[in-house]
């Protein structure tokens, strides 16, 4: 009967019943024995589910010029009835005056290569290299942002646990949903995005994330925190979500710490907290004003690792009213669910934050660039 209620919720877009925290099998359970696994090429295959899902590949860019950007492919399926693909780009300008550039275009005639590692559509291609070390991202789907980028991995990729997945469902043997993240946290970027004002050189640092929400997104998560910190020596990444009350408002956190060529540690023993809140009068969400992100784990040779990133977020880069700005297919997935009012707050503090890292008692402090998102979907 629970499965039937869940299917009704999927198709009708209604809120789910209260199953409780036992209906979530967090990836943290895997991480107790296997904190993380390094990604192999086959771990980057598109799943392209034929049931309700949202699958994305997103490249976060930090140019040497100070521009922050992202390029993203979204594959979505609504109840197995309709599949839609979208290509998004966004550019934040370092002068603080030029309006953010946002482009979002529906893709036609999408497909994959035989190995499901490369994505194609009319005017768009995201190709993984034969040796599995770099992606080329090309899109001419929008004349406001013509994309020609290369993102090269500089440290091993990882997923938390053995398969990177949390599972949703009251029967552990037959989960009805899942959530997975796979990371290339520390990459080099090169290439350009050509705008109507001219080309922007995105030579610099990048992060790549492949995510699969194998269910309706608002059924899996009510809120999110995302951290992408890049310094000359280190990278810190964190993706945290809190489930809706239907799964006990449970918190799942995956992340890690890297330096060129190696993973320092990765796992699920991390946390995100808000030190100060600026209530948003538009929607009553607790917009973060100052934050503290913490990581803990062990190195391959057993040294304890802790890290902290804390401080003011400063003036936000953007506030995205998801229902106003995202493509229609996402609205179709979320539907008119009562209490669902998704907003994404995006930040890159002008006052650089410092990563405080302790590896086996040896302390390091390094300043870097933080790109952070706080997303609120439902109570």
């Amino acid at each position: 009967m629970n499965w039937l209620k869940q299917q009704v919720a999927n198709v009708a877009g209604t809120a789910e019943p209260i199953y409780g925290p036992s209906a979530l099998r967090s990836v943290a359970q895997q991480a107790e024995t296997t904190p993380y696994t390094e990604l192999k090429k086959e771990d980057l295959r598109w799943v392209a589910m034929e049931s309700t899902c949202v699958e994305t590949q997103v490249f976060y860019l930090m140019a040497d010029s100070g521009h922050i950007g992202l390029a993203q492919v979204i594959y979505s399926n609504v109840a197995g009835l309709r599949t839609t693909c979208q290509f998004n780009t966004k550019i934040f300008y370092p002068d603080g005056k030029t309006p953010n550039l946002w482009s979002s275009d529906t893709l036609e005639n999408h497909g994959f290569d035989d190995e499901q590692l490369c994505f194609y559509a009319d005017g768009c291609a995201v190709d993984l290299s034969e040796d599995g070390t770099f992606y080329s991202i090309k899109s001419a789907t929008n004349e406001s942002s013509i994309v020609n980028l290369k993102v090269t991995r500089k440290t091993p990729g990882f997923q938390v646990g053995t398969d990177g997945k949390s599972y949703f469902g009251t029967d552990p043997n037959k989960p009805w949903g899942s959530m997975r993240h796979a990371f290339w946290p520390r990459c080099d970027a090169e290439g350009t995005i050509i705008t109507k004002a001219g080309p922007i050189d995105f030579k610099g640092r990048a992060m790549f994330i492949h995510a699969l929400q194998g269910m309706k997104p608002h059924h899996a998560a009510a809120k999110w925190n995302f951290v992408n910190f890049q310094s000359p020596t280190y990278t810190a990444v964190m993706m945290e979500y809190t489930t809706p009350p239907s799964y006990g408002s449970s918190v799942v956190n995956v992340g890690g710490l890297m330096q060129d060529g190696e993973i320092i540690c990765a796992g699920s023993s991390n946390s995100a907290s808000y030190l100060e809140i600026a209530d948003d009068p538009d929607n009553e969400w607790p917009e973060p004003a100052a934050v503290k992100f913490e990581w803990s784990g062990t190195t391959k040779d057993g040294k304890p690792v802790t890290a902290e990133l804390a401080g003011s977020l400063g003036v936000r880069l953007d506030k995205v009213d998801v229902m106003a700005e995202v493509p229609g297919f996402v609205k179709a997935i979320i539907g008119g669910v009562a209490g669902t009012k998704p907003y994404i707050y995006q930040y890159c503090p002008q006052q650089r934050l410092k990563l405080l890292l302790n590896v086996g008692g040896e302390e390091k402090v390094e300043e870097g660039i933080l790109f952070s998102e706080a997303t609120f979907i439902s109570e």
Side-chain angles (χ1 to χ4, degrees):
M1 182 56 74
N2 276 333
W3 179 87
L4 180 61
K5 289 178 185 172
Q6 204 276 335
Q7 296 308 305
V8 169
N10 259 353
V11 176
T14 53
E16 292 190 283
I18 302 295
Y19 306 116
S22 63
L24 170 70
R25 208 148 32 100
S26 169
V27 71
Q29 295 177 27
Q30 299 177 31
E32 290 173 5
T33 52
T34 306
Y36 69 94
T37 47
E38 292 189 7
L39 296 179
K40 299 188 281 292
K41 189 177 175 184
E42 56 264 32
D43 294 320
L44 298 169
R45 287 191 173 115
W46 285 87
V47 179
M49 290 172 61
E50 294 182 3
S51 55
T52 297
C53 71
V54 176
E55 186 171 9
T56 66
Q57 287 193 342
V58 57
F59 301 86
Y60 294 95
L61 310 164
M62 292 180 176
D64 294 341
S65 61
H67 293 82
I68 303 288
L70 65 84
Q72 177 185 44
V73 174
I74 304 178
Y75 171 102
S76 95
N77 187 310
V78 181
L81 304 174
R82 185 163 65 98
T83 298
T84 313
C85 295
Q86 200 86 8
F87 188 80
N88 299 331
T89 58
K90 192 165 189 176
I91 299 172
F92 304 98
Y93 292 82
D95 61 10
K97 301 172 189 171
T98 306
N100 303 328
L101 180 64
W102 165 249
S103 303
S104 183
D105 297 277
T106 302
L107 299 174
E108 304 294 339
N109 301 313
H110 78 275
F112 305 92
D113 68 340
D114 290 343
E115 293 185 275
Q116 297 280 111
L117 291 167
C118 302
F119 174 92
Y120 304 105
D122 290 352
C124 180
V126 179
D127 282 316
L128 180 62
S129 63
E130 189 64 36
D131 64 1
T133 61
F134 69 87
Y135 277 95
S136 60
I137 307 103
K138 297 183 179 181
S139 173
T141 57
N142 193 306
E143 61 183 20
S144 296
S145 52
I146 297 170
V147 177
N148 186 3
L149 297 167
K150 179 181 177 183
V151 170
T152 304
R153 178 168 56 78
K154 301 302 290 181
T155 193
F158 79 95
Q159 60 192 0
V160 169
T162 54
D163 66 2
K165 284 186 181 179
S166 293
Y167 294 92
F168 296 75
T170 49
D171 182 348
N173 297 315
K174 294 180 181 177
W176 56 55
S178 64
M179 179 85 79
R180 175 181 183 257
H181 290 88
F183 302 90
W184 280 8
R186 190 170 177 85
C187 305
D188 284 345
E190 58 186 282
T192 59
I193 298 179
I194 301 174
T195 72
K196 288 184 175 178
I200 296 173
D201 184 352
F202 268 98
K203 181 181 185 304
R205 190 68 72 189
M207 177 181 288
F208 163 69
I209 301 175
H210 188 146
L212 172 62
Q213 300 182 50
M215 58 198 299
K216 288 201 168 192
H218 63 287
H219 285 176
K223 57 186 176 182
W224 291 86
N225 289 294
F226 169 57
V227 181
N228 171 9
F229 175 85
Q230 305 282 349
S231 73
T233 311
Y234 303 108
T235 291
V237 59
M238 183 186 297
M239 188 73 79
E240 179 186 275
Y241 63 93
T242 303
T243 71
S246 46
Y247 298 99
S249 299
S250 303
V251 177
V252 179
N253 188 308
V254 293
L257 303 160
M258 293 77 211
Q259 58 189 19
D260 276 350
E262 69 172 309
I263 297 170
I264 300 170
C265 74
S268 61
S269 301
N270 320 302
S271 66
S273 55
Y274 299 165
L275 303 178
E276 294 175 26
I277 285 169
D279 288 317
D280 187 338
D282 290 346
N283 53 40
E284 300 176 355
W285 287 126
E287 179 190 352
V291 292
K292 181 164 73 170
F293 304 120
E294 297 175 285
W295 291 261
S296 67
T298 55
T299 62
K300 284 181 179 176
D301 55 0
K303 292 177 184 173
V305 180
T306 59
E308 179 183 298
L309 192 62
S312 170
L313 291 171
V315 179
R316 68 178 178 233
L317 291 174
D318 201 5
K319 178 176 81 172
V320 181
D321 178 349
V322 175
M323 296 307 274
E325 293 193 28
V326 300
F329 73 85
V330 175
K331 294 176 192 173
I333 289 178
I334 295 175
V337 182
T340 302
K341 45 183 179 178
Y343 280 80
I344 304 170
Y345 299 86
Q346 297 172 312
Y347 307 90
C348 180
Q350 293 299 302
Q351 187 71 39
R352 297 282 173 86
L353 301 188
K354 292 178 180 177
L355 181 72
L356 311 179
L357 176 66
N358 186 310
V359 180
E362 187 179 349
E363 295 189 347
K364 303 277 179 66
V365 180
E366 191 160 280
E367 191 175 86
I369 300 170
L370 169 68
F371 176 79
S372 178
E373 292 182 332
T375 302
F376 301 95
I377 299 169
S378 61
E379 297 291 356

